[in-house]
Amino acid sequence: MIMMKLNCDQATSICDKSQYNEASFLEKIKLIIHMFHCKYCNIYSRQNTILSKCFKKHKHQHSSYLKCLNNEEKCCMENNIKEKIG
Amino acid sequence: MLEKNHILTPEKWVKLHADYLYNYTISRINNHEISKDLVQETFFAALNAMKNFEGKASERTWLIAILKRKIIDYYRKINSIKGKAEVRMNFYDDGEHAGEWIEERVPSSWVSEVEKDIENRELGNALEKCISALPEKYEIVFRMKTIEELETEEICKELDISSSNLWVIIHRARLQLRKCMEDNWFKK
């Protein structure tokens, strides 16, 4: 039974892993047992789910448009290459 | 069947591949100047390695392979800078309370209507601010895993780190992000 016991650091670590569906079955069981008696990790877990939703919702806010170099930067790069080719 | 032999045209590299390479880099590094420099360095390294090009892969594939090495080198460099930007501790390190929450770092309850907030564009800005405030070595891994949604295995390969290392980083990053969002958004 001692093997089943997690501390809060380990419990929240598994909780983070499970946000990506990558926690093992045994890890999830241990986490549930830990949360049964730990108020703080319980709060952490609930908030973690909310945060995951937020990340999903807003991940395209900043990355949906194609990012480009401007013409001046490209021109500069091109010149640098030409210089090296000689 | 005849194997297609690809050739290199360095005078056209910028026109054909600069934006592609830049996009690949910025989605990982999230810093314009550093990404631009890495692309430039990739072109230079490619020029020096032209004689090793066998024409089996396309020009772009070959350039990306060189860029990937550059990104690993960059990640190693920032990863070796210790201390300075370390995330604050959340749990006791040793003693009888080892692994337990440090009192002033415990999560506090958020206002009940947070679920409704999720659509808010301002929330997206707050998230972005908190992600940018992470130490760079955590920020890169976190963005690749959570924002770009790359596979664990792929990230480990791309940054040359172990999966247990990756999960430690994700754990620390998320602890800091939770606290940051609590202080800047959910507690208001």
Side-chain angles (χ1 to χ4, degrees):
Chain A
M1 245 351 238
I2 196 87
M3 294 288 284
M4 297 297 278
K5 215 165 155 15
L6 300 173
N7 63 37
C8 299
D9 194 0
Q10 293 162 330
T12 49
S13 178
I14 291 171
C15 180
D16 290 332
K17 217 170 160 182
S18 73
Q19 298 305 310
Y20 307 88
N21 282 326
E22 291 185 52
S24 71
F25 182 67
L26 185 62
E27 283 176 325
K28 280 189 239 169
I29 299 283
K30 287 182 186 176
L31 176 61
I32 290 165
I33 293 171
H34 178 89
M35 290 209 298
F36 213 68
H37 61 79
C38 181
K39 179 176 92 184
Y40 297 134
C41 290
N42 230 308
I43 298 177
Y44 184 86
S45 171
R46 254 180 290 135
Q47 294 177 344
N48 220 358
T49 312
I50 294 171
L51 285 176
S52 288
K53 279 187 202 158
C54 294
F55 293 134
K56 232 188 169 66
K57 192 86 217 162
H58 292 276
K59 69 178 191 147
H60 289 307
Q61 185 166 330
H62 294 270
S63 62
S64 60
Y65 55 94
L66 199 69
K67 288 166 182 139
C68 293
L69 294 161
N70 66 38
N71 285 335
E72 198 183 327
E73 289 165 330
K74 281 185 198 162
C75 198
C76 177
M77 256 185 207
E78 211 153 55
N79 289 337
N80 288 339
I81 290 175
K82 277 183 191 145
E83 213 171 281
K84 289 253 174 180
I85 299 172
Chain B
M1 211 173 87
L2 220 83
E3 206 177 308
K4 196 180 168 198
N5 241 339
H6 298 275
I7 52 155
L8 297 176
T9 53
E11 64 282 354
K12 289 189 196 150
W13 280 353
V14 173
K15 198 175 288 157
L16 293 175
H17 309 298
D19 281 332
Y20 185 85
L21 296 181
Y22 175 76
N23 249 286
Y24 185 92
T25 318
I26 196 90
S27 69
R28 285 154 174 77
I29 309 285
N30 200 47
N31 175 305
H32 170 72
E33 285 301 318
I34 293 165
S35 298
K36 191 183 74 179
D37 289 349
L38 286 174
V39 172
Q40 176 78 79
E41 280 176 36
T42 298
F43 287 141
F44 287 158
L47 282 177
N48 290 331
M50 275 179 73
K51 59 180 185 310
N52 303 326
F53 182 73
E54 290 173 342
K56 283 179 188 152
S58 74
E59 188 173 63
R60 179 173 283 186
T61 307
W62 184 69
L63 288 168
I64 282 284
I66 297 172
L67 174 62
K68 281 182 175 175
R69 280 309 316 176
K70 294 280 164 204
I71 292 175
I72 288 184
D73 289 345
Y74 177 74
Y75 192 74
R76 284 214 179 124
K77 203 174 83 192
I78 57 164
N79 207 5
S80 66
I81 305 166
K82 287 235 156 62
K84 213 175 136 216
E86 213 43 78
V87 166
R88 276 191 51 198
M89 292 251 298
N90 290 276
F91 305 99
Y92 288 105
D93 219 6
D94 46 23
E96 61 170 318
H97 294 295
E100 289 176 22
W101 287 98
I102 294 171
E103 286 81 358
E104 64 266 29
R105 303 289 290 177
V106 298
S108 39
S109 295
W110 293 350
V111 279
S112 53
E113 69 269 35
V114 287
E115 299 272 355
K116 275 189 290 176
D117 260 5
I118 289 177
E119 300 284 333
N120 192 330
R121 251 191 102 78
E122 291 289 315
L123 172 73
N125 293 334
L127 280 175
E128 186 57 33
K129 262 194 198 141
C130 285
I131 296 172
S132 301
L134 290 170
E136 196 181 2
K137 56 184 176 182
Y138 298 157
E139 184 189 348
I140 291 173
V141 175
F142 179 81
R143 279 186 196 280
M144 286 170 84
K145 186 71 196 148
T146 318
I147 312 296
E148 303 296 320
E149 293 184 317
L150 298 178
E151 298 291 335
T152 300
E153 203 185 333
E154 193 180 347
I155 301 169
C156 291
K157 223 167 100 188
E158 282 200 24
L159 299 177
D160 197 25
I161 57 176
S162 67
S163 69
S164 59
N165 196 203
L166 175 137
W167 289 116
V168 169
I169 293 169
I170 293 289
H171 178 43
R172 292 195 182 146
R174 291 189 75 110
L175 281 167
Q176 178 165 329
L177 288 169
R178 193 211 64 81
K179 180 82 173 108
C180 179
M181 286 304 288
E182 177 170 297
D183 295 344
N184 293 297
W185 186 267
F186 288 116
K187 243 179 160 177
K188 277 181 208 165

